[in-house]
Amino acid sequence: MSEREVLEMDVLFVGAGPASMAGAYHLAQLIARHNEAGGPAIEIEIGILEKGKEIGAHALSGAVVDPRAFQELFPDDWQEAPFEGAVTDEELWWMTGKGAWSMPIPPMMVNRGKYVGSLGKLLKWMEPKLEEAGINIFCEFPATEVLLDGERVLGVRTGDRGLDEHGKPKANHEPGVDIHSQVVVLGEGVRGTLAKQLEETLRLREGRNPQLYAIGIKEVWEVPAGRIQPGKVIHSMNWPLGFDTFGGGFIYGMQDDQVIVGLVVGLDYKDPLLDPHELFQRFKTNPKVRALLEGGTMAFYGAKAIPEGGWWSMPKLWGDGFLICGDSGSFLDSQRLKGIHLAMKSGMLAAETIFDGLKEGGTVTAEHLSRFPQKVDESYVRKQLHPVRNFHQAFDKGLLGGMVQAGLGMVTGGRGWGLLDRLGAKPGYQHLERLDQPGGPPREEARTRMEYDGTLTFDKLADVYNSGTGHEEDQPVHLLVADTNICEDRCAREFGNPCQHFCPAAVYEMVEAPDTPSGKRLQINASNCVHCKTCDIMDPYQIITWVPPEGGGGPNYSKM
Ligand code: SF4
């Protein structure tokens, strides 16, 4: 049996998304400037761990990007970043199945001054800058465990390589590495594995709202020349979601006659058999969307959960030896659909917090890290998130309730109904209605599902093919279901096994099994998984845990 290697770092960022990439680079810059100015030299090792095959492989966003953090971080050359185009023309559509009508765009949704961007491409552009700054980037290293001494974080453990499907070592087995670091910055993205472990172990969510989520599903299409200009932005409301389900559609023009088309669906819907992927396919059959895509080809597909809870859903963001940033820390403005610049800024504020400690004696203490929330409070992050702190919660009362709250928030500084400072919330899966109750949603047998034509609309497997997803087949399943008896019996009766519908990658399948109470058993097609985390969030019994598979496995979004 090989020995577990131990690596020493000074500051370790987990997950190479915008928060970690910006944070690591900003920290390196602060130290370089300090050393050039002749202060007592600070010499540290900064590392970033990434589970994907390469930078950007697992990064997915809409995205219309507020360039503010790029301008701060790269003042001399941010305009060389590969944005798809400045937003020059935008529309908001009220959509039905038969048409779409332009509506006035509310001031908070205006995107002038913003840029359509692909997060994967933007992170790729940042990568050589980080390498030049001496930052160690370790791709294909998923962090699977926090190393704790009591309540102090000592570092992280990465996943083993070369285990077979039963967890037994294969010939190429290598145990994961323990990486010790005086500070660990968690920027793992939405529903981060380590952030979830720490939230539970150290009770970081006490007194906070639960996180609220949506799922974003998108395709990138290549369309006939001239169909849409780069930087064109269209958002839509209503169909095919209706008044009860949070979300909306988006269409963004990219370079080279490519177009992003996507749908966001709140993960607090009531109908357990609602299928966000199917709704997205339906969205494309609207005549105006169809006309845009006709004659084109679908090139890429992706899906990811989005943290929508905002200000009141932030966990405690610091502790002894760690900070939490980006989507893991709820740094996303769900009213404006903007998270990239807030994630980057949170990473940069984490860097400044750590740098204060390094300057004041070389060791970053818990007292230094405790200053992070104040830095967040004093930055534009609070100015943006606090006034929209009750936005998503208000959609508990449907689309109209949410729109009224958005208007009310504008005149009350973000207060909710009854001028409450904070509207409460319950986890999204608790909104699911049971099928076996009188008046409950219809069962699967009473529904007609959409048929896909393979030209405009695609089934999940065709879409997964275009996500570039691949996993080593002979490895332990990375979707842990605590009790499959619940799937075969209670869940089948009460909710009709919603995992088959909310998963956008056809990972969960109920297959014939005459010896079970429902006549079906759960089959997990783990190699299809696009790492969106929806199952970990939306399962009604909270018995699914998503854990990182062997390093490098998963989608390839670097061109999305
Ligand atoms: Fe998303 Fe879970 Fe399906 Fe993977 S298995 S694609 S994380 S819902």
Side-chain angles (χ1 to χ4, degrees):
M1 188 91 166
S2 358
E3 288 288 302
R4 190 180 298 282
E5 203 184 327
V6 178
L7 267 178
E8 300 291 338
M9 282 282 142
D10 295 288
V11 181
L12 181 66
F13 291 81
V14 180
S20 294
M21 294 285 276
Y25 185 66
H26 191 48
L27 181 58
Q29 279 187 318
L30 289 169
I31 292 170
R33 279 189 220 124
H34 166 90
N35 290 350
E36 275 165 25
I42 299 173
E43 305 284 348
I44 64 161
E45 289 292 340
I46 305 171
I48 301 183
L49 285 184
E50 166 56 33
K51 66 185 167 67
K53 214 179 252 317
E54 56 177 301
I55 295 294
H58 291 182
L60 190 75
S61 184
V64 179
V65 185
D66 183 332
R68 190 169 184 172
F70 278 90
Q71 289 162 346
E72 280 180 64
L73 199 56
F74 309 107
D76 300 328
D77 60 351
W78 72 272
Q79 279 173 311
E80 288 167 24
F83 291 109
E84 302 295 325
V87 178
T88 48
D89 181 17
E90 55 186 318
E91 291 181 54
L92 177 61
W93 288 352
W94 182 263
M95 207 183 241
T96 68
K98 297 207 169 85
W101 292 267
S102 279
M103 300 168 62
I105 303 175
M108 62 278 192
M109 286 185 73
V110 171
N111 280 299
R112 289 293 162 117
K114 314 291 188 295
Y115 292 77
V116 172
S118 144
L119 183 57
K121 289 186 199 168
L122 292 168
L123 294 173
K124 269 276 182 219
W125 178 78
M126 290 167 71
E127 184 181 8
K129 294 174 183 297
L130 270 72
E131 283 168 349
E132 209 175 299
I135 294 158
N136 306 282
I137 299 177
F138 306 100
C139 288
E140 304 197 21
F141 278 90
T144 55
E145 210 179 307
V146 187
L147 302 173
L148 277 166
D149 177 15
E151 299 215 334
R152 175 166 170 68
V153 169
L154 301 177
V156 308
R157 176 165 293 176
T158 66
D160 284 12
R161 288 166 191 271
L163 292 176
D164 72 11
E165 61 177 316
H166 307 293
K168 297 254 162 26
K170 297 187 282 194
N172 62 346
H173 176 246
E174 285 173 38
V177 181
D178 280 356
I179 308 181
H180 295 160
S181 182
Q182 54 167 318
V183 189
V184 172
V185 183
L186 299 179
E188 302 168 282
V190 64
R191 197 76 161 188
T193 297
L194 303 195
K196 188 177 166 192
Q197 284 173 19
L198 280 187
E199 282 174 12
E200 282 163 15
T201 315
L202 304 182
R203 302 163 307 282
L204 303 181
R205 290 214 151 267
E206 259 175 25
R208 322 281 159 133
N209 277 3
Q211 184 56 276
L212 307 173
Y213 298 92
I215 178 170
I217 302 181
K218 77 178 206 182
E219 292 169 350
V220 174
W221 280 66
E222 285 156 3
V223 292
R227 193 67 68 83
I228 187 167
Q229 80 266 27
K232 167 99 186 187
V233 165
I234 301 167
H235 287 118
S236 76
M237 296 169 75
N238 189 36
W239 190 84
L241 299 167
F243 277 45
D244 267 1
T245 306
F246 175 87
F250 57 94
I251 297 169
Y252 304 148
M254 299 172 79
Q255 296 285 336
D256 305 323
D257 297 302
Q258 289 191 328
V259 57
I260 295 164
V261 53
L263 186 72
V264 170
V265 181
L267 290 175
D268 38 18
Y269 52 78
K270 295 178 185 158
D271 176 1
L273 302 189
L274 181 146
D275 188 321
H277 174 272
E278 182 183 14
L279 285 177
F280 168 55
Q281 297 305 319
R282 207 174 283 282
F283 170 74
K284 291 184 292 175
T285 64
N286 172 282
K288 279 179 101 165
V289 184
R290 181 191 288 270
L292 176 70
L293 301 178
E294 209 140 54
T297 321
M298 193 262 285
F300 305 107
Y301 169 78
K304 193 158 220 140
I306 306 166
E308 291 263 342
W311 189 255
W312 294 132
S313 294
M314 281 185 177
K316 185 183 170 208
L317 295 170
W318 68 278
D320 199 356
F322 74 92
L323 296 174
I324 304 181
C325 294
D327 280 3
S328 301
S330 198
F331 288 89
L332 185 135
D333 175 350
S334 62
Q335 181 167 292
R336 292 180 187 83
L337 284 172
K338 299 276 172 301
I340 294 173
H341 70 294
L342 295 172
M344 289 173 72
K345 184 67 180 176
S346 70
M348 291 160 72
L349 294 169
E352 289 166 26
T353 307
I354 294 164
F355 179 64
D356 285 352
L358 295 170
K359 258 188 336 193
E360 290 170 15
T363 306
V364 185
T365 64
E367 193 282 318
H368 291 123
L369 298 177
S370 72
R371 300 176 198 172
F372 180 51
Q374 192 183 337
K375 286 191 191 290
V376 171
D377 259 8
E378 290 168 356
S379 73
Y380 63 74
V381 172
R382 182 190 167 97
K383 282 201 186 76
Q384 181 161 353
L385 289 184
H386 193 257
V388 294
R389 61 195 178 280
N390 290 310
F391 176 71
H392 191 104
Q393 297 94 300
F395 281 85
D396 249 9
K397 299 192 169 26
L399 176 61
L400 291 181
M403 286 166 74
V404 170
Q405 169 61 44
L408 182 70
M410 280 172 68
V411 292
T412 61
R415 287 182 179 272
W417 319 111
L419 296 182
L420 282 177
D421 188 37
R422 169 175 163 185
L423 294 180
K426 60 181 183 181
Y429 68 88
Q430 290 182 9
H431 290 262
L432 291 174
E433 290 175 350
R434 284 176 53 170
L435 303 176
D436 59 345
Q437 300 289 316
R443 301 198 76 91
E444 185 64 24
E445 307 77 68
R447 296 178 186 232
T448 311
R449 291 284 176 187
M450 188 174 173
E451 287 184 12
Y452 305 107
D453 63 15
T455 308
L456 176 71
T457 57
F458 301 94
D459 65 19
K460 291 179 181 176
L461 290 180
D463 263 332
V464 169
Y465 177 79
N466 279 305
S467 68
T469 297
H471 290 89
E472 163 62 52
E473 295 275 346
D474 187 16
Q475 66 168 308
V477 169
H478 70 279
L479 292 316
L480 310 181
V481 180
D483 183 355
T484 52
N485 291 322
I486 292 181
C487 314
E488 292 160 5
D489 187 5
R490 265 187 79 190
C491 189
R493 271 187 288 115
E494 294 178 348
F495 294 106
N497 303 110
C499 57
Q500 301 175 100
H501 306 288
F502 58 57
C503 171
V507 169
Y508 298 98
E509 218 180 317
M510 296 302 290
V511 296
E512 298 299 319
D515 52 339
T516 64
S518 62
K520 301 237 163 120
R521 69 170 173 81
L522 180 66
Q523 175 175 296
I524 301 178
N525 307 311
S527 56
N528 290 351
C529 176
V530 296
H531 297 201
C532 74
K533 312 287 181 73
T534 303
C535 51
D536 195 294
I537 294 162
M538 202 55 188
D539 151 47
Y541 304 95
Q542 295 292 284
I543 53 170
I544 301 180
T545 304
W546 186 98
V547 298
E550 188 170 303
N556 187 358
Y557 293 149
S558 35
K559 293 201 184 98
M560 281 191 84

